[in-house]
Amino acid sequence: MILFRLVSWPYLRKHLFRGVLTTAGIVLGVAVFVGMHAANQAVLSAFNQTVDRIAGKTQLQVAAGEAGFDEAVLERVQSVPGVRAAAPVIEAVVETGLPGQGNLLILAVDMTGDRSLREYDLEGGDEDIIDDPLLFLAQPDSIIVTTAFAARNNLRNNSRISMQTMEGPKDFVVRGIMRDGGLGSAFGGNIAVMDIYAAQKVFGRGRRFDRIDLAVNEGEDFAEVQRKLLAALGPGFTVETPAGRGVQFESLLRVYSAAVNMSSLFALFIGMFLIYNSFSIAVGERRSEIGILRALGATRRQIGALFIGESAIGGFIGSLAGVAFGIFLAEAIAGQVGSLIEGLYGVAEKAEDVAADPGLIAAALSIGTVTSVIAAIIPARSAARVDPVQALQKGKFQVLSSGENRLRRWLALVLLAAALLCLPFGSNRFFFYGGYMLLIVAALLFTPTLALWLARLLRTPLRRLRPVEGALAADSLLQAPRRTSATVAALMLSLAMVVALGGTSQSSYRAIRNWLDSALNPDLFLSPSQDMVSRTFHFPGGMREEIERIPGVEHVQTIRANKITFRDTPVLLIAAEMDRLGSRVKNENLVVAGDPDTLYAEVGQARGFLVAQNLAELHGLSLNDAIAIPTPSGILRLPVSGIVRDFSDQQGSIFIDRATYLKHWKDDTVDTFRIYIGPGESWQAVKGRILERFAGRQRLFVLSNREMRDYILGLTDQWFAMTYIQTAIAVLVAILGIVNTLTVSIADRKRELGVLRAVGGLRNQIRGTLWLEAMSIGAIGLILGLALGAVNLYYQLRMVRQDFSGMAFDYEFPWYVAMILAPIILGSAWSASMLPAESAVRSSLVEALEYE
């Protein structure tokens, strides 16, 4: 502590700006780590609270996927021994049309049995309506809203509210207002209750329920009742606790969380190099100070501990700042995560209290501090080994010995060879990720040598560009390779991640566009919802014949999609008339495995499934493998007749024929009609005829092919927004690293710069030297970053295919990213050199010549 107070503290105060730059990487990495995890915790906690509030006293929930099941199932559930109460439920998301209110979740229940599971605590008003369920049933337009929703929209008992139904806009009468707390607090108050049989009609559900909520008799064995229910209902049904509803959302978040966590780890890794660079240069800058301490009796251990202590304190302070910034960042991330829930459930989940728990804060502080300490170990060892006699000599430059260079190169070659040997075993996660890490370490070990070689190559063009300034800039890079290589390594890593993300984005865009051209090629799409993801409303199956009679319509296909559970994973089941679908898609771009000429016929005859390529990748499926899916009528077991490229769902999709779906699900509704218009017809004219035909009696939205493509590509844009975030991080790293390097470079060359000015060097020449030096660092980092990024892209595409989504994208180097990065990085490097250059030319000439 004495050495820190007498030696370190004055130095830190003198170089406060440099200390801030040094810890910036730690601040950034910790902030992303804390922000992501705090946001996830807050939103998941809010979602689980919502599930609990909606569930009330429900102990088990019976479901059969999104398609629901026939009303007759309720009697089978009620007859199971141990079931105390069972109430059917329909959930529907509707648009209210009220400004700024978003969507409303309708919880449709049977009031004659539901009051034993949920409390409807009303405030004043028409309490008799709820006390007498028959009266509530007699008024099919009755609706109960929450206090929060009523207050926001000036609603009272007997107020009317218009909502979109399958029959178009319909007025409902508020006949109850729930008090805050419990069910009334779910989804921030955007929830309402109505009669389930009225909901069946207005939402086009037929005689079907979404699920059954139930409670068991007191004293009954919970697991035994669950087993009896599964035995009575069959394998097509699930019986689980309300908490199980969060599984689908958590699976959706998995890829998103992994991508953000990777950015966080990269930011910490890059911060490590910034710290290493700063401390390496600080050792050189303070060599005379170290020599004096050693001459006065300080031991090597004390010198090493002094630098380690400085890094620990800096890392801890940077981590504290990162935690604070991360909590602030969590608010924005929570909003983005909440929008994911809205895409899944239709109603936005708002996390009211976003805060990091003590465990997360402790982990973040530990990670940041340990990262900083690890980065300072090598510079601290170098400081401890300084020879007092050499340290007190002036004019020594930092160099890499040939022996050190040779050892580093040999070690890098060994690690690179080991990484290449892991490639044939890439299907094994241990070898794949182990080889990836070995490759990154090998690249980092090669960086000093490669940076030195590139600096020598740049010397000639720099001298031709500016004979004096160019030569001085190149010589500065050659004389201090450690200072240069650490900054280059940080920039290289960041740019490698940008290239990988850009390449993944470009490859996925091309694959999705090919899929859109081949599979989603109808002229018009009819949907009951504006949001193509929402499946609250359904068309009656008989609509197809009426649509086909509209002038200009040549061909119509029906699509019914709903989520089912396949091998404990929620996947999308798509039912289509396979003969009609196969006649219009372009199979040469879609079929991965199977006979394009026969596979649609096989699926149409219920002799097989058609599965998406990503589902096959994630679950190890091959052609002719027998798979089983649960249906309300039992298990449907068929072989895989074909594997196709399909991007309908992140977890995968399974295609079956509509006749097979009707047989096993007893559901003739339709989600989407795909319409092809006749030759010479205008899609605008046909769209107008469709809207005119169903005006006033059928809720529908007609989208053109272009509108559908824009919608899907817009969702893709949201997902790959991470590319722009990572590019911003790369630019920030370039600025921080180069400012730090040049600031210390000027201090290390203060006497040299003073001599140049004394012998006639102009201020503009000094500026030009430092500008060229900064841009050379940026150019070297850019070249190495693009090279490593090309390799990193290969691994990223393999990760996406094997572990994240199962989607296979072709390798395409993102040249457009390289062209964008070149001016951004070089411009950032030049901008970063402005302040250090001005500092150098405006410093005192006398002080410069007296330096050391």
Side-chain angles (χ1 to χ4, degrees), residues 378-392:
I378 295 177
R381 289 183 61 192
S382 300
R385 293 179 179 180
V386 166
D387 185 291
V389 177
Q390 292 184 358
L392 293 173

Side-chain angles (χ1 to χ4, degrees), residues 4 21 26 112 120 130 174 179 181 192 274 276 279 316-317 363 421 433 442 469 502 514 556 585 615 743 764 851:
F4 179 81
L21 293 176
I26 298 295
T112 59
Y120 300 96
I130 305 304
V174 176
R179 290 190 176 92
L274 292 177
Y276 166 79
F279 273 89
F316 183 76
I317 294 173
L421 288 174
Y433 286 99
E469 296 91 329
N514 289 338
V556 180
V585 298
L615 182 75
T743 300
N764 280 339
Y851 186 66

Side-chain angles (χ1 to χ4, degrees), residues 555 557 578-585 600:
H555 182 84
Q557 299 171 3
M578 301 307 294
D579 56 340
R580 288 174 172 257
L581 187 67
S583 67
R584 292 285 178 162
V585 298
Y600 288 97

Side-chain angles (χ1 to χ4, degrees), residues 170-246:
K170 183 178 177 62
D171 284 344
F172 290 84
V173 179
V174 176
R175 291 198 167 93
I177 299 176
M178 289 182 285
R179 290 190 176 92
D180 290 334
L183 181 63
S185 300
F187 286 114
N190 275 33
I191 187 169
V193 178
M194 68 178 295
D195 175 61
I196 192 167
Y197 299 103
Q200 285 179 330
K201 181 176 184 295
V202 299
F203 298 133
R205 299 300 179 88
R207 308 304 295 177
R208 304 175 70 82
F209 299 138
D210 288 349
R211 70 172 192 267
I212 297 172
D213 290 357
L214 59 91
V216 303
N217 290 323
E218 190 172 348
E220 288 282 349
D221 187 323
F222 190 84
E224 180 64 18
V225 175
Q226 188 176 22
R227 186 192 63 78
K228 291 177 182 177
L229 284 165
L230 287 171
L233 297 173
F237 290 82
T238 60
V239 181
E240 58 185 15
T241 62
R245 299 184 66 192

Side-chain angles (χ1 to χ4, degrees), residues 93-105 149 152-153 161-164 187 190-191 342 346-348 350:
V93 177
V94 299
E95 307 142 46
T96 62
L98 298 171
Q101 293 306 302
N103 293 339
L104 191 66
L105 178 68
F149 186 81
R152 289 196 297 265
N153 298 283
I161 177 173
S162 178
M163 292 190 297
Q164 295 292 331
F187 286 114
N190 275 33
I191 187 169
E342 184 173 14
V347 182
K350 300 178 178 64

Side-chain angles (χ1 to χ4, degrees), residues 540-723:
M543 268 185 66
R544 193 190 77 186
E545 289 75 13
E546 190 172 359
I547 296 172
E548 288 177 326
R549 292 195 295 269
I550 295 175
V553 173
E554 181 183 69
H555 182 84
V556 180
Q557 299 171 3
T558 59
I559 300 293
R560 179 71 170 95
N562 69 77
K563 288 280 188 177
I564 63 169
T565 301
F566 174 73
R567 297 183 180 179
D568 299 323
T569 304
V571 302
L572 191 66
L573 180 73
I574 301 175
E577 296 157 303
M578 301 307 294
D579 56 340
R580 288 174 172 257
L581 187 67
S583 67
R584 292 285 178 162
V585 298
K586 300 174 183 177
N587 291 326
E588 64 274 10
N589 295 325
L590 289 180
V591 179
V592 176
D595 185 352
D597 297 326
T598 62
L599 63 86
Y600 288 97
E602 288 185 15
V603 177
Q605 296 167 15
R607 289 189 285 138
F609 292 120
L610 197 60
V611 301
Q613 184 182 21
N614 64 322
L615 182 75
E617 290 283 348
L618 292 174
H619 295 276
L621 302 178
S622 301
L623 200 64
N624 299 320
D625 284 354
I627 62 174
I629 63 173
T631 82
S633 303
I635 292 294
L636 177 60
R637 191 184 304 274
L638 293 171
V640 175
S641 294
I643 300 174
V644 296
R645 291 186 177 89
D646 181 74
F647 299 98
S648 300
D649 189 78
Q650 187 183 57
Q651 300 294 328
S653 50
I654 300 174
F655 292 80
I656 65 172
D657 188 68
R658 179 167 174 80
T660 306
Y661 180 79
L662 290 172
K663 176 182 177 181
H664 291 274
W665 273 265
K666 308 295 190 295
D667 173 24
D668 71 340
T669 60
V670 176
D671 290 324
T672 307
F673 288 106
R674 295 157 52 108
I675 299 176
Y676 295 83
I677 63 177
E681 293 284 350
S682 164
W683 69 263
Q684 292 94 338
V686 175
K687 175 180 178 178
R689 293 170 198 152
I690 293 172
L691 292 173
E692 183 180 356
R693 174 68 62 90
F694 295 100
R697 63 186 181 92
Q698 181 67 63
R699 169 194 171 94
L700 58 79
F701 297 89
V702 184
L703 280 71
S704 68
N705 187 278
R706 171 54 59 188
E707 290 169 332
M708 174 63 83
R709 291 169 66 94
D710 290 344
Y711 173 77
I712 293 174
L713 293 175
L715 294 178
T716 307
D717 282 334
Q718 291 179 5
W719 181 257
F720 285 105
M722 184 60 62
T723 305

Side-chain angles (χ1 to χ4, degrees), residues 400-453:
L400 281 174
S401 68
S402 59
E404 184 182 28
N405 242 343
R406 191 179 302 113
L407 176 62
R408 183 181 281 110
R409 284 199 297 266
W410 276 109
L411 181 58
L413 286 171
V414 170
L415 295 180
L416 180 60
L420 293 175
L421 288 174
C422 289
L423 284 177
F425 309 99
S427 57
N428 182 287
R429 288 186 178 181
F430 174 79
F431 286 102
F432 176 75
Y433 286 99
Y436 179 51
M437 293 305 299
L438 289 174
L439 178 73
I440 295 296
V441 175
L444 293 174
L445 291 175
F446 265 131
T447 299
T449 301
L450 294 174
L452 204 58
W453 289 348

